[in-house]
């Protein structure tokens, strides 16, 4: 327990406390830090310009999360329904992209989506003779990159509750006359909400603070909050405002984690009731 507390304090609490303290000071005239107390940095976070970037980041991260959850849950469901001996093999291929570097995976999308990329070549091979579609440096490219890079998190998070699901619950539902769709909607889906919530939190939290994918696949046209924090620290040399933006981002992540914990707690309660009803 003690090593965990030391690790948590040294790598999480202390850096966040230093970042929070930094946000209460001013930017120096030539950059750096002027140690004069101020609340202006937090007020500037709510400026319409920066608030719109927060909202846009949340929209892009939310869209990527929704797509990743739909695809990831379907993949996890298919893996859990496969013969037991093949499930480790399918899981291996699901996490195989993690064996390569994040930058390499993102650059691979540039190869796919550019005007002379593989998709354009396939279109021409199929007989398409018009102008190559503009897919790179768009919001869709950014969302595709985020979904691809974080999809394995959703698959693993959803596979865990699906693989532990008691098959007798679904069998009892069907014996009572429920269709396959009703059994999925009223039995399987509610019991696997904790996995869905965990996977969704992974994708949303990692996406909203991401600055590599928007920079490479967005071509600098799409400013997300991660890029804004990066620019404040390394380009504008305004560390106090960058720290205030980072603290606002951490606050959003904490709210998302609290919502995920609440959803998981309620789902666990429903699962306990369902199992109790079956046992009775």
């Amino acid at each position: 327990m003690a090593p965990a507390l030391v690790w948590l304090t040294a790598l999480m609490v202390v850096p966040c406390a230093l970042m929070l303290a930094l946000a209460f000071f001013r930017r120096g005239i030539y950059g750096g830090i002027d140690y004069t107390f101020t609340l202006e940095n937090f007020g500037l976070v709510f400026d319409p310009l920066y608030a719109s970037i927060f909202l846009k980041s949340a929209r892009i991260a939310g869209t990527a999360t929704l797509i990743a959850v739909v695809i990831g849950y379907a993949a996890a469901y298919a893996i859990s329904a496969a013969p037991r001996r093949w499930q480790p093999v399918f899981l291996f291929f699901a996490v195989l992209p993690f064996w390569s570097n994040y930058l390499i995976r993102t650059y691979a999308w540039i190869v796919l989506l550019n005007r002379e990329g593989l998709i354009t070549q396939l279109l021409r091979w199929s007989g398409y003779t018009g102008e190559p579609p503009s897919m790179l440096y768009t919001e869709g490219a950014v969302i595709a990159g985020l979904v691809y890079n974080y999809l394995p998190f959703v698959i693993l998070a959803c596979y865990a509750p699906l693989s532990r699901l008691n098959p007798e619950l679904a069998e009892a539902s069907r014996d009572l006359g429920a269709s396959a769709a009703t059994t999925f909607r009223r039995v399987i889906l509610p019991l696997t909400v904790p996995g869905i919530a965990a996977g969704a939190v992974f994708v949303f939290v990692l996406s909203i603070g991401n600055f590599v994918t928007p920079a490479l696949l967005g071509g600098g046209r799409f400013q997300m909050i991660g890029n804004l924090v990066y620019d404040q620290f390394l380009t504008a040399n305004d560390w106090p405002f960058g720290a205030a933006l980072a603290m606002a981002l951490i606050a959003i992540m904490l709210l998302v984690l609290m919502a995920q914990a609440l959803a998981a707690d309620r789902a666990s309660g429903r699962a306990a009731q369902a199992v109790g009803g079956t046992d009775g």
Side-chain angles (χ1 to χ4, degrees), residues 105-179:
R105 299 200 303 270
T106 305
Y107 274 117
W109 277 94
I110 297 178
V111 175
L112 286 173
L113 299 178
N114 73 72
R115 285 180 174 273
E116 299 300 326
L118 181 60
I119 294 178
T120 301
Q121 297 298 328
L122 288 174
L123 288 174
R124 287 175 176 167
W125 179 77
S126 64
Y128 179 76
T129 57
E131 282 291 318
S134 179
M135 295 176 286
L136 191 60
Y137 305 141
T138 62
E139 186 173 310
V142 175
I143 292 173
L146 293 173
V147 170
Y148 174 74
N149 280 308
Y150 299 135
L151 186 61
F153 287 118
V154 183
I155 295 175
L156 293 177
C158 292
Y159 173 77
L162 281 168
S163 63
R164 292 197 302 265
L165 201 62
N166 187 350
E168 293 180 355
L169 295 174
E171 186 179 345
S173 175
R174 289 192 293 270
D175 289 345
L176 292 173
S179 64

Side-chain angles (χ1 to χ4, degrees), residues 51-273:
S52 66
I53 296 176
F54 269 102
L55 292 176
K56 185 175 183 178
S57 301
R59 177 171 56 79
I60 292 175
T63 304
T65 301
L66 181 62
I67 296 172
V69 166
V70 172
I71 298 174
Y73 189 89
Y77 189 88
I79 293 173
S80 66
R84 184 69 67 178
R85 67 179 183 279
W86 286 105
Q87 292 181 16
V89 178
F90 293 142
L91 286 175
F92 168 77
F93 284 109
V95 301
L96 190 59
F98 280 166
W99 288 29
S100 61
N101 185 274
Y102 184 94
L103 283 176
I104 294 175
R105 299 200 303 270
T106 305
Y107 274 117
W109 277 94
I110 297 178
V111 175
L112 286 173
L113 299 178
N114 73 72
R115 285 180 174 273
E116 299 300 326
L118 181 60
I119 294 178
T120 301
Q121 297 298 328
L122 288 174
L123 288 174
R124 287 175 176 167
W125 179 77
S126 64
Y128 179 76
T129 57
E131 282 291 318
S134 179
M135 295 176 286
L136 191 60
Y137 305 141
T138 62
E139 186 173 310
V142 175
I143 292 173
L146 293 173
V147 170
Y148 174 74
N149 280 308
Y150 299 135
L151 186 61
F153 287 118
V154 183
I155 295 175
L156 293 177
C158 292
Y159 173 77
L162 281 168
S163 63
R164 292 197 302 265
L165 201 62
N166 187 350
E168 293 180 355
L169 295 174
E171 186 179 345
S173 175
R174 289 192 293 270
D175 289 345
L176 292 173
S179 64
T182 302
T183 299
F184 174 78
R185 180 171 57 85
R186 303 193 63 175
V187 178
I188 298 176
L189 189 60
L191 293 177
T192 53
V193 164
I196 297 173
V201 167
F202 272 128
V203 179
F204 185 84
V205 168
L206 294 174
S207 296
I208 196 172
N210 193 297
F211 63 93
V212 174
T213 301
L216 295 180
L217 299 182
R221 299 179 183 177
F222 299 92
Q223 183 84 323
M224 291 181 66
I225 189 61
N227 304 96
L228 187 60
V229 173
Y230 177 90
D231 290 340
Q232 295 304 315
F233 276 97
L234 298 181
T235 304
N237 204 18
D238 191 350
W239 288 27
F241 182 49
L245 290 169
M247 294 312 299
L249 185 59
I250 290 174
I252 293 173
M253 293 178 179
L254 288 176
L255 289 175
V256 172
L257 290 173
M258 289 173 61
Q260 183 264 336
L262 183 62
D265 185 60
R266 290 185 175 179
S268 298
R270 287 196 295 269
Q273 290 178 357

